[in-house]
Amino acid sequence: DDDNYCAERGVEENRTMESAWTNALLTSSEWKREAEGLLYCEAHNVSYTHRVVNRDDDNYCAVPDGGADAVLLAGLAIAFACVLRGRLSAVWLLLAGMVTQVLVYGVNTWHLGNATVLWTSARPPEVFYFVFLPALMFESASNLDAFLFRKVLVKVLVFAVALVLVQTGLTAFSLVYLLDLKSYGWTIEHGLLIGTTLSMTDAVAVTSVLATTEAPEELGVVLEGESLLNDASGFVLFSMFLKYATDNIPFSAGFVFTQAVWDMFVLGVGGVLLGVFFGLALIISLHYMRRAGLDREPEIAMSVAIAYLCFYVAQGPAGLSGPVAVVTTGLMVNAKGKADLSPAVQDLWQRFWGLLAFIANGMIFYFAGISAMNFILFAGQHKDFDKTLSIAYLPVIYVLLFALRFICICPIWLTSRLTAENPKSAMTMKDVVFLTFTALRGACSLIQENEVVLQPSIPESVKLQMVVWTAGFTLMTILINVPLLPWLFKLTGHSSRAVGQAYLHTKAIESLQKFT
């Protein structure tokens, strides 16, 4: 019907729709079941003036042939990002997204309402990873302090792998047994699933917020490195526990732990090797492009192409960790590739990637506010949704998760104190507080919950509580933690510059004023 091949997902949908029409001739009950699924929106004549709630997707139905409206939301997000600049830009963008979703939920805003539906109902949800993460992670990795990153690499790996694994287990146990969610239909598999989502720090949120604050340099690199690399461990655990929660696979703690460690090792090492390959390809390409005397634009464009190809190949066909691969590529370019660029190209490089990261950050935070509020508003419509339990437990879960992170970091602090050759270089308790409070969550957690929404085998009440608590916790980490960061820096002494650093800074300014 389209003079083209069918997309992979399209084949399955076409077969399902054909079977639906066939079943209509057989039994009305089977037809009704299919019509309430794929054909529900088509059967209700959706238009800009006639909105219909898609009960199977917890959203409004998209308007047929209204795909161009997606551009409207992207333009609004960028415009809001330009207007709401400043230290608390992440907070204001999140609030702007929340207000937008409340508006389109309660009032028919025609094209704007359809735009939010297109973004929040994008299938598969992972498409957001492929659109936004390559640019943001490459930009962040290519600007990391390479010397400091090598210095704290072991610590970063401990935070990104071991910390996520341990906190996921503790979160699951605390939710299911200590908070007694078992009596509300939860199983340990459900607890592990949401525990993974809530234990991962978000690379986009952490990187963008640290860029607007006076965070201590070494701790900032640890936190940023953790958020960049824990996507590999988080994705492995989420995929594993999603299968356990939906396929009724017998749960064995020992087997799960062994399998998780092995999968994280394979995905991580494979991602590093693939990242090295693409990093070498980019470095060699930049070298020969400069020797050939090409303009600056092709060199920058090649870096964009390599970043996206690296992420796609790793996360898609290769089945490895896309975040680890693209971070490895960025670190290689940071250490080796930039030195081969002319000063003019380096300046354009910084400006272009800074602009791309600014646009992507604005769109992601705006979308995070819309997506989180969309979960909360539509969950309230379900008869299975326990509003009292969900609202009462949300602040408890917020405090619990940060308390568990603090507890998990304490052994790392103790090990640092015992093994440090110089006591002054060991981690302090103030550092533990900093690394606990600045662990932000963001859009990646919400995208994972979009996958949970699509699982029919998870009980509806459990599913609703998962998405509401994930959305609520994500909002709270941005709305509460980010405004309090300056106060936290002053309390822990991390906002003050060291004496030697202040002296060098003063001398550098004097030299610049004298000789330039």
Side-chain angles (χ1 to χ4, degrees):
D1 297 317
D2 199 26
D3 288 334
N4 209 334
Y5 289 108
C6 292
E8 180 179 352
R9 188 176 295 273
V11 171
E12 297 172 1
E13 290 179 354
N14 289 338
R15 288 173 180 168
T16 305
M17 291 175 72
E18 289 173 5
S19 66
W21 287 105
T22 303
N23 289 341
L25 303 176
L26 301 177
T27 60
S28 59
S29 61
E30 292 184 11
W31 160 250
K32 183 179 179 181
R33 192 160 55 246
E34 294 290 348
E36 288 178 346
L38 291 173
L39 302 179
Y40 183 84
C41 292
E42 288 86 340
H44 285 76
N45 300 319
V46 178
S47 67
Y48 287 111
T49 57
H50 179 229
R51 295 202 298 177
V52 177
V53 175
N54 185 351
R55 292 172 295 182
D56 296 309
D57 199 25
D58 286 334
N59 210 334
Y60 287 107
C61 293
V63 177
D65 299 322
D69 292 333
V71 179
L72 171 61
L73 202 68
L76 279 177
I78 298 172
F80 277 123
C82 295
V83 173
L84 303 175
R85 291 294 303 275
R87 185 174 56 82
L88 297 179
S89 59
V91 176
W92 299 125
L93 281 169
L94 199 74
L95 288 172
M98 294 169 63
V99 171
T100 300
Q101 184 57 31
V102 170
L103 175 66
V104 301
Y105 176 81
V107 181
N108 186 358
T109 52
W110 300 288
H111 292 274
L112 178 58
N114 189 51
T116 62
V117 171
L118 292 172
W119 278 65
T120 53
S121 299
R123 296 292 179 265
E126 298 92 335
V127 70
F128 287 98
Y129 297 145
F130 291 86
V131 174
F132 293 112
L133 290 189
L136 289 166
M137 290 188 161
F138 183 84
E139 189 272 339
S140 180
S142 63
N143 288 316
L144 271 177
D145 189 313
F147 171 77
L148 271 180
F149 187 78
R150 287 195 296 268
K151 180 181 176 183
V152 300
L153 179 58
V154 174
K155 193 180 294 183
V156 167
L157 292 175
V158 171
F159 272 76
V161 179
L163 187 66
V164 172
L165 192 59
V166 173
Q167 187 173 353
T168 297
L170 291 177
T171 302
F173 178 83
S174 301
L175 291 176
V176 177
Y177 297 107
L178 294 184
L179 297 184
D180 196 28
L181 292 181
K182 189 176 182 180
S183 61
Y184 294 94
W186 283 62
T187 64
I188 190 64
E189 291 86 350
H190 299 145
L192 290 168
L193 184 60
I194 192 175
T196 302
T197 303
L198 297 181
S199 297
M200 288 172 51
T201 56
D202 187 82
V204 178
V206 171
T207 301
S208 60
V209 169
L210 288 180
T212 60
T213 57
E214 298 180 359
E217 198 169 12
E218 184 172 327
L219 291 179
V221 171
V222 171
L223 194 64
E224 192 170 352
E226 176 201 359
S227 64
L228 289 171
L229 297 181
N230 74 2
D231 286 329
S233 55
F235 288 156
V236 168
L237 293 175
F238 180 80
S239 300
M240 178 185 297
F241 296 137
L242 187 63
K243 291 181 180 179
Y244 275 94
T246 57
D247 296 344
N248 295 321
I249 301 174
F251 181 80
S252 170
F255 174 78
V256 168
F257 177 79
T258 305
Q259 188 67 34
V261 172
W262 173 250
D263 286 349
M264 283 188 281
F265 175 78
V266 172
L267 265 67
V269 173
V272 169
L273 294 176
L274 199 61
V276 169
F277 171 79
F278 278 97
L280 289 174
L282 180 54
I283 291 171
I284 294 171
S285 299
L286 293 175
H287 175 75
Y288 281 100
M289 291 172 78
R290 183 184 179 188
R291 291 188 61 181
L294 296 179
D295 294 333
R296 297 176 296 174
E297 287 77 9
E299 297 182 47
I300 306 300
M302 179 59 73
S303 67
V304 177
I306 291 294
Y308 275 88
L309 286 173
C310 176
F311 189 92
Y312 166 76
V313 172
Q315 193 75 15
L320 300 171
S321 172
V324 170
V326 79
V327 166
T328 303
T329 300
L331 289 173
M332 287 189 63
V333 173
N334 186 6
K336 302 293 183 182
K338 282 187 177 180
D340 201 41
L341 300 174
S342 65
V345 175
Q346 287 191 21
D347 179 65
L348 180 61
W349 179 292
Q350 293 296 121
R351 290 175 180 273
F352 172 81
W353 280 104
L355 174 62
L356 197 60
F358 170 77
I359 292 174
N361 274 317
M363 294 175 70
I364 284 180
F365 277 108
Y366 186 65
F367 168 72
I370 290 174
S371 180
M373 189 54 64
N374 182 69
F375 280 138
I376 294 172
L377 291 174
F378 277 96
Q381 291 186 350
H382 286 264
K383 61 181 180 180
D384 297 325
F385 180 59
D386 191 334
K387 295 182 180 179
T388 304
L389 177 70
S390 300
I391 295 174
Y393 271 29
L394 184 56
V396 177
I397 290 174
Y398 173 83
V399 174
L400 173 67
L401 283 165
F402 281 106
L404 290 177
R405 181 174 172 87
F406 178 83
I407 293 170
C408 291
I409 296 177
C410 282
I412 303 175
W413 162 76
L414 183 60
T415 304
S416 174
R417 303 292 294 180
L418 295 176
T419 58
E421 296 180 2
N422 183 2
K424 293 184 178 180
S425 64
M427 184 185 293
T428 66
M429 186 53 66
K430 291 181 179 180
D431 296 340
V432 176
V433 174
F434 171 85
L435 292 169
T436 298
F437 197 73
T438 50
L440 308 176
R441 280 33 167 210
C444 286
S445 299
L446 301 174
I447 293 170
Q448 287 182 338
E449 288 309 309
N450 260 317
E451 297 183 52
V452 173
V453 170
L454 300 176
Q455 306 303 320
S457 57
I458 298 179
E460 194 68 24
S461 59
V462 174
K463 191 192 310 182
L464 291 171
Q465 288 165 352
M466 279 189 186
V467 297
V468 168
W469 285 336
T470 301
F473 182 71
T474 300
L475 293 176
M476 291 177 75
T477 62
I478 302 296
L479 298 178
I480 296 176
N481 294 35
V482 174
L484 292 178
L485 285 181
W487 173 82
L488 175 69
F489 292 162
K490 291 181 181 179
L491 180 67
T492 58
H494 285 127
S495 60
S496 58
R497 189 184 288 116
V499 175
Q501 197 174 16
Y503 173 77
L504 291 175
H505 184 262
T506 303
K507 297 296 291 183
I509 291 178
E510 291 176 356
S511 299
L512 285 171
Q513 292 173 341
K514 183 177 181 181
F515 297 108
T516 64

